[in-house]
Amino acid sequence: MDIFLQQLINGLVLGSVYALIALGYTMVYGILGLINFAHGEITMIGAMLALAVITHLTGSALPIPVILLAGLLTAIAGCSALGLLIERIAYRPLRHAPRLAPLITAIGVSIILQNLAMLIWGRQYISFPPLLPQGWIDVAGARLTDVQLIILITSALLMLILDSLVRRTPLGRAMRATAQSPRLAGLMGIDANRIIAVTFVIGSSLAAIGGFLVSAYYGLAHYYMGFLLGLKAFSAAVLGGIGNIRGAMLGGLLLGIIESLGAGYIGPLTHGLFGSNYQDVFAFFVLIAILIIRPAGLLGESTADRA
Amino acid sequence: MTELLKINQVSKSFGGVQALTNVSFSIQSGEIFGLIGPNGAGKTTLFNLITGVLPVSAGHITFNQCPLQNLPPHKILRLGIARTFQNIRLFSGMTALENVMVGMHSRTHAGILGAILRNAGTRREETHSKAQAHHLLTLVGISRHSNTLAANLPYGDQRRLEIARALASQPRLLALDEPAAGMNPSERDSLRELMHALHQEFNLTLLVIEHDVQFMMQLCHRMAVLDFGELVTVDTPDKVRHHPRVIQAWLGGDT
Amino acid sequence: MTRTPKNVRLSYSALAITLLALPFVLQFGLGRGWVRIIDLALLYSMLALGLNIVVGYAGLLDLGYIAFYAMGAYVYALLNSPQFGLHWPVWVVLPLGAACAGLFGVLLGTPTLRLRGDYLAIVTLGFGEIIRIFLNNLNEPINITNGPQGISLIDPIHIGTFSFSHNHTQWLPGLTGPVQYYYLFLAITLLIMWVALRLQHSRVGRAWAAIREDELAAAASGIALRNYKLLAFAMGATFGGLAGGLFAGFQGFVSPESFNLMESVMILCMIVLGGMGNVFGVVLGALILTAFPEALRMIGQWQLNQFGRVVVDPNNFRMLLFGMALVVMMLLRPAGLWPSRRHHREYAGERS
């Protein structure tokens, strides 16, 4: 049996989580032109919060879906508040500062969050309570687990909702206008601060869900997990064309698939010279190659500088 | 007079939008040539094609018989075309003097070793550059500001500094994109005097975009009129003034 | 104090004496550990100065800079350790490491330097990770880097029979290995500062500044963008490689873990915090960011002395405080502690 289909499924699942997290990067970048370096840590906090609540409620009389939902909602609420707080404290005062200044505060914030998480939840891996369905479906010889299915459906739904929110609602229009030109949007009566706040809430909520899904998928969470997740998601956002929402979705899915196929095939392709421990190298190589061919990302517009 | 810049059947489109269609004219060596037309007529686009900022979609541009298509901006500058920008692009964190010295880049040579070792040749070049930059700042009338950061210069002086920076490359053709924009009438008069003086002093050929038709009529020897990306006419100011399409299209009651 | 030539001479002499006496003061005053910390701070200063050429001068955001440091370190380690049984002379290995790093800088830069700012950041970041992953995994099929275990027993930096790692207390009390390295690193740091300053105030430095401020205007002023960006990249990488070689000899041990992304980020923080573009600010940033977390370690000892027990474990709070300090310092001084005159308006109007 070829591993192709299996790796494709795994890649799609992983990729849809990357996409959810990448959306947060891309939305903030689109509006503020800022790499929200702390976004990966928000994802981690989301996973941690959800796990804390779920672990606490496990064994209570509540039905399992309610327990999971309680964890998820806590994570969403907590991450939204956190996102707002970070924007307020670390980014807003620096909106007109030199461009790298908010990048440094963002780095500072992620160091704070990481160490805070370590102080609260410790250095060890935290495992997901055994509440999740363990079944799987056979897809042409490959295995699609229930958890994978849940992840695929959830993220597909969320992406559809977000896409129509941005494209079809007045709020979405205001967001796009602010991304184009905050000053002009302000003249049109759009409160840029409110739009930025909304962006952070949406991005952080998606990160919280992403974190929850990742910890459900791997059955684990760890205070350091946000770093690599954030890095991958950011790469995905760049791959798709940063600032572009559909690009982030595409980039996330692609990166997940590339990574997963790379991990599966890199050994056979190189006759065992390189093993699957090179899967990240593979992902980055593809990222770099794509950017060299399409410097603005897959769906990004090349902003030719008009004099 | 010889033909210096030749625009031959040049077109440019952005995506599906046709910005310039089959524009042809040439500029003679030593003349002051104007480019006028309403907003969106394609004047700045044409500038960007000539100076290599944007690639040409179709047609040819030659400078001194040398084809310019696909050359990057810095090579075009080396051939002798320098420009200024419509919305002033100075190096705002550098002093006026440093801005002009950057403009001298193509006429100087010191590399990394020269920079580190600061040998006699490099020192000589640096001293010469500085003196030359001072001279140019004096010429455009802002030598008192030589150590001011470009960002802190008054608006009119920023325009002048940009001209000095362009002159520093010793161009044969100086292309000015709306040099008088945002100036009051007396500033415009002194700018026009400056341009005449530069034209004399360096035997420069000038290519100027400007909205102010009066200003252009007094400045230019010949001018091209663009409208909706097409060339309406190329002629002397007097003839342009009386060209029916010019009057009809946008001079309106101006004259 | 007025700036008469005499006063200037006086203050330079005072500075020189302070710098010369510093390791002995630290060693006898605060303990030997502090001399090592200062040595590391000097290595970081070199790195920060190198990255400053890329980020501060030319305005190219490089998040994978540590890869060049790693390259210099591994070149030194492989050619000067039992790993392959090679023991090449230092004066060959150090320049070789620097040159390798510089070459890789050009190889990486050639295809990527036309990317816009933040895209360049992610590509360089990816490059940094690629290098680290290779170092981590190149122990099979042929063992080159010894994988995650790293390479140990690296020869110390030595000139003839003089090894910088050996104590020479018989010559002078307190002349220990770290003190000797201090003088070596100080000399090299000063040399790099001098080179950086000369570059800054030259035709090349002006071209970089022009590119940083406005690429289009720079190109229209005759600057070949790609060549100058490559030059900045290569210069920065070369300094990084040199520092890496020194690090390997100083530490005697290298492993991929020392070259993770956080290190690149840290060096960037040093530059931005100290004052991008300003050589002195950059060194200040490097010194502060190296010493600050170490100083926080001391809090534990201090609590022990004060309260007789450790109330809060400083190891847990160290990085937390560090993160907070980064945020607060940036909020208070967005242009850095010692900003360069040129950078006051940096990027401010970019998104107009």
Side-chain angles (χ1 to χ4, degrees):
Chain A
M1 163 59 215
D2 195 353
I3 54 166
F4 180 77
L5 194 59
Q6 188 63 57
Q7 293 297 69
L8 191 67
I9 290 175
N10 295 348
L12 267 177
V13 173
L14 199 60
S16 52
V17 178
Y18 288 164
L20 284 185
I21 306 169
L23 284 168
Y25 279 107
T26 232
M27 288 168 68
V28 169
Y29 189 91
I31 288 194
L32 288 179
L34 162 84
I35 302 173
N36 181 9
F37 207 86
H39 192 63
E41 309 307 331
I42 295 181
T43 309
M44 176 272 295
I45 297 279
M48 289 301 207
L49 278 176
L51 268 187
V53 171
I54 292 170
T55 312
H56 185 74
L57 293 179
T58 303
S60 68
L62 292 169
I64 289 175
V66 174
I67 294 179
L68 293 178
L69 204 62
L72 184 60
L73 290 178
T74 314
I76 292 176
C79 287
S80 299
L82 190 60
L84 282 178
L85 188 72
I86 294 172
E87 192 271 325
R88 199 60 215 258
I89 294 177
Y91 301 154
R92 194 178 296 184
L94 292 174
R95 215 171 278 166
H96 301 287
R99 194 184 59 138
L100 285 180
L103 185 68
I104 302 299
T105 52
I107 291 167
V109 167
S110 42
I111 294 176
I112 293 173
L113 290 180
Q114 222 178 69
N115 286 277
L116 218 51
M118 191 192 74
L119 287 180
I120 298 173
W121 289 292
R123 289 172 189 272
Q124 70 280 19
Y125 283 89
I126 300 173
S127 51
F128 206 99
L131 302 177
L132 297 166
Q134 298 295 319
W136 51 273
I137 315 165
D138 183 284
V139 185
R143 185 183 276 218
L144 176 66
T145 66
D146 291 348
V147 174
Q148 286 182 320
L149 193 64
I150 293 172
I151 293 177
L152 283 178
I153 293 173
T154 317
S155 33
L157 268 180
L158 285 170
M159 285 189 249
L160 274 177
I161 293 171
L162 183 72
D163 196 63
S164 40
L165 175 89
V166 171
R167 275 170 202 266
R168 287 183 226 285
T169 65
L171 176 67
R173 218 169 11 250
M175 287 171 74
R176 280 180 291 147
T178 311
Q180 286 274 319
S181 161
R183 204 174 54 84
L184 279 183
L187 291 177
M188 309 300 285
I190 296 169
D191 179 357
N193 279 336
R194 199 179 72 89
I195 295 300
I196 290 167
V198 170
T199 307
F200 270 85
V201 167
I202 296 177
S204 306
S205 305
L206 291 174
I209 301 172
F212 171 79
L213 293 177
V214 166
S215 59
Y217 186 36
Y218 290 117
L220 290 170
H222 186 236
Y223 80 95
Y224 202 66
M225 69 189 269
F227 178 74
L228 201 61
L229 260 181
L231 188 60
K232 294 281 175 62
F234 178 55
S235 306
V238 172
L239 184 64
I242 195 160
N244 183 316
I245 288 183
R246 288 185 176 175
M249 301 176 186
L250 178 68
L253 290 176
L254 264 182
L255 194 73
I257 293 171
I258 291 166
E259 212 181 284
S260 167
L261 288 181
Y265 284 102
I266 199 168
L269 277 181
T270 57
H271 301 286
L273 192 62
F274 297 119
S276 63
N277 36 6
Y278 285 96
Q279 80 174 79
D280 287 344
V281 171
F282 197 74
F284 280 122
F285 261 130
V286 173
L287 174 76
I288 292 176
I290 290 181
L291 280 183
I292 289 168
I293 300 164
R294 284 196 59 94
L298 290 171
L299 297 186
E301 291 157 39
S302 55
T303 47
D305 211 346
R306 284 185 207 145
Chain B
M1 279 212 223
T2 55
E3 186 180 85
L4 186 64
L5 182 77
K6 186 172 164 63
I7 315 275
N8 190 7
Q9 296 287 312
V10 164
S11 299
K12 174 73 191 174
S13 54
F14 296 102
V17 185
Q18 195 75 18
L20 286 174
T21 318
N22 288 336
V23 173
S24 302
F25 61 84
S26 34
I27 298 175
Q28 306 298 316
S29 174
E31 75 178 331
I32 301 182
F33 192 93
L35 198 54
I36 61 173
N39 272 330
K43 304 181 301 280
T44 295
T45 303
L46 186 57
F47 247 53
N48 286 338
L49 297 181
I50 294 171
T51 52
V53 174
L54 295 170
V56 176
S57 301
H60 304 277
I61 303 176
T62 48
F63 180 71
N64 218 3
Q65 267 95 48
C66 173
L68 296 185
Q69 294 97 291
N70 306 324
L71 284 185
H74 71 269
K75 292 215 169 122
I76 291 179
L77 179 101
R78 263 155 224 243
L79 290 174
I81 305 180
R83 72 171 290 179
T84 66
F85 294 89
Q86 189 178 332
N87 45 349
I88 312 181
R89 304 187 78 131
L90 288 167
F91 308 118
S92 48
M94 299 164 94
T95 64
L97 191 76
E98 286 169 327
N99 266 275
V100 181
M101 287 173 84
V102 170
M104 237 163 261
H105 187 88
S106 61
R107 302 292 160 204
T108 44
H109 309 282
I112 202 105
L113 275 181
I116 296 170
L117 301 177
R118 227 172 256 185
N119 52 337
T122 309
R123 284 202 305 273
R124 210 176 312 122
E125 184 180 278
E126 198 75 1
T127 319
H128 176 76
S129 294
K130 234 172 235 167
Q132 186 66 21
H134 266 299
H135 172 67
L136 286 169
L137 287 175
T138 311
L139 204 69
V140 299
I142 54 170
S143 58
R144 66 189 180 286
H145 288 314
S146 65
N147 287 320
T148 311
L149 289 188
N152 299 338
L153 287 177
Y155 177 81
D157 289 349
Q158 292 194 359
R159 289 251 175 238
R160 284 165 180 263
L161 176 55
E162 224 190 356
I163 294 174
R165 183 180 69 189
L167 284 174
S169 67
Q170 301 169 16
R172 294 189 60 189
L173 174 70
L174 179 61
L176 304 169
D177 195 349
E178 298 199 22
M183 289 186 172
N184 63 37
S186 78
E187 285 172 329
R188 279 169 190 241
D189 285 342
S190 77
L191 178 73
R192 196 172 54 236
E193 278 164 31
L194 171 67
M195 285 159 72
H196 274 301
L198 295 176
H199 176 245
Q200 296 290 323
E201 164 119 13
F202 296 103
N203 192 24
L204 265 179
T205 309
L206 287 173
L207 168 61
V208 187
I209 294 182
E210 199 35 76
H211 274 296
D212 182 342
V213 180
Q214 266 342 94
F215 178 89
M216 294 290 268
M217 295 282 173
Q218 291 171 6
L219 177 72
C220 301
H221 301 141
R222 287 196 309 144
M223 53 215 303
V225 183
L226 282 179
D227 196 15
F228 291 111
E230 291 181 31
L231 188 67
V232 175
T233 182
V234 184
D235 223 322
T236 58
D238 251 356
K239 297 252 178 71
V240 165
R241 198 196 301 266
H242 297 110
H243 193 281
R245 255 193 81 189
V246 174
I247 296 172
Q248 181 205 349
W250 51 275
L251 272 182
D254 206 357
T255 42
Chain C
M1 195 161 84
T2 46
R3 275 175 79 90
T4 62
K6 193 178 162 211
N7 281 339
V8 171
R9 243 196 333 271
L10 255 174
S11 42
Y12 273 123
S13 320
L15 183 66
I17 290 168
T18 312
L19 285 177
L20 286 175
L22 184 66
F24 289 97
V25 174
L26 284 177
Q27 180 153 291
F28 293 119
L30 291 166
R32 194 161 157 175
W34 272 98
V35 185
R36 281 189 63 83
I37 292 168
I38 288 293
D39 290 349
L40 281 174
L42 287 170
L43 282 172
Y44 277 114
S45 298
M46 296 175 207
L47 287 175
L49 285 165
L51 184 60
N52 183 49
I53 292 178
V54 184
V55 182
Y57 287 0
L60 306 165
L61 185 50
D62 180 352
L63 285 181
Y65 185 66
I66 204 72
F68 303 120
Y69 187 51
M71 240 171 246
Y74 268 85
V75 165
Y76 186 101
L78 292 175
L79 298 178
N80 246 326
S81 72
Q83 176 74 0
F84 294 134
L86 294 174
H87 300 279
W88 289 19
V90 170
W91 54 268
V92 175
V93 174
L94 283 177
L96 190 69
C100 273
L103 184 71
F104 259 88
V106 173
L107 285 182
L108 171 70
T110 307
T112 58
L113 279 176
R114 63 200 184 99
L115 294 177
R116 234 176 51 206
D118 299 313
Y119 289 74
L120 182 67
I122 189 77
V123 165
T124 50
L125 187 154
F127 171 73
E129 286 296 290
I130 287 174
I131 293 291
R132 192 178 60 82
I133 295 169
F134 267 104
L135 293 178
N136 234 328
N137 293 297
L138 275 181
N139 48 346
E140 54 185 6
I142 322 158
N143 185 0
I144 300 172
T145 63
N146 212 22
Q149 283 86 38
I151 297 171
S152 44
L153 297 175
I154 301 170
D155 300 345
I157 298 174
H158 50 92
I159 299 169
T161 55
F162 180 87
S163 161
F164 279 88
S165 289
H166 290 163
N167 293 342
H168 290 91
T169 37
Q170 72 277 21
W171 297 355
L172 186 68
L175 193 62
T176 56
V179 172
Q180 291 164 133
Y181 275 115
Y182 167 85
Y183 289 120
L184 178 68
F185 292 172
L186 180 68
I188 296 174
T189 305
L190 289 174
L191 182 72
I192 294 180
M193 284 174 79
W194 179 78
V195 168
L197 277 173
R198 285 222 149 166
L199 283 175
Q200 187 179 355
H201 300 285
S202 72
R203 174 172 173 270
V204 177
R206 282 193 299 271
W208 283 335
I211 292 173
R212 187 188 65 222
E213 300 229 348
D214 190 330
E215 279 199 13
L216 182 56
S221 301
I223 294 165
L225 297 181
R226 219 191 52 169
N227 293 357
Y228 275 87
K229 287 182 179 180
L230 269 183
L231 188 61
F233 231 60
M235 286 298 289
T238 306
F239 287 149
L242 175 66
L246 295 171
F247 172 73
F250 168 70
Q251 200 78 356
F253 168 73
V254 294
S255 78
E257 258 333 283
S258 314
F259 309 107
N260 58 32
L261 174 63
M262 210 51 215
E263 290 289 310
S264 292
V265 167
M266 214 39 108
I267 300 165
L268 187 68
C269 288
M270 292 170 182
I271 294 177
V272 179
L273 193 82
M276 212 164 50
N278 180 8
V279 165
F280 302 99
V282 162
V283 172
L284 181 70
L287 295 179
I288 290 177
L289 285 200
T290 322
F292 183 68
E294 298 301 328
L296 288 178
R297 277 187 211 278
M298 307 293 163
I299 293 176
Q301 190 58 44
W302 177 78
Q303 289 177 27
L304 211 58
N305 296 343
Q306 291 289 310
F307 311 114
R309 66 191 175 92
V310 177
V311 185
V312 271
D313 183 0
N315 270 331
N316 290 338
F317 279 91
R318 198 164 67 93
M319 289 312 284
L320 192 65
L321 286 175
F322 179 70
M324 287 177 182
L326 273 186
V327 175
V328 171
M329 286 211 263
M330 255 10 258
L331 290 178
L332 294 179
R333 300 206 56 133
L337 294 170
W338 192 344
S340 109
R341 163 180 62 89
R342 279 177 178 165
H343 279 264
H344 281 299
R345 278 173 48 93
E346 176 89 337
Y347 298 121
E350 194 187 49
R351 279 171 56 84
S352 55

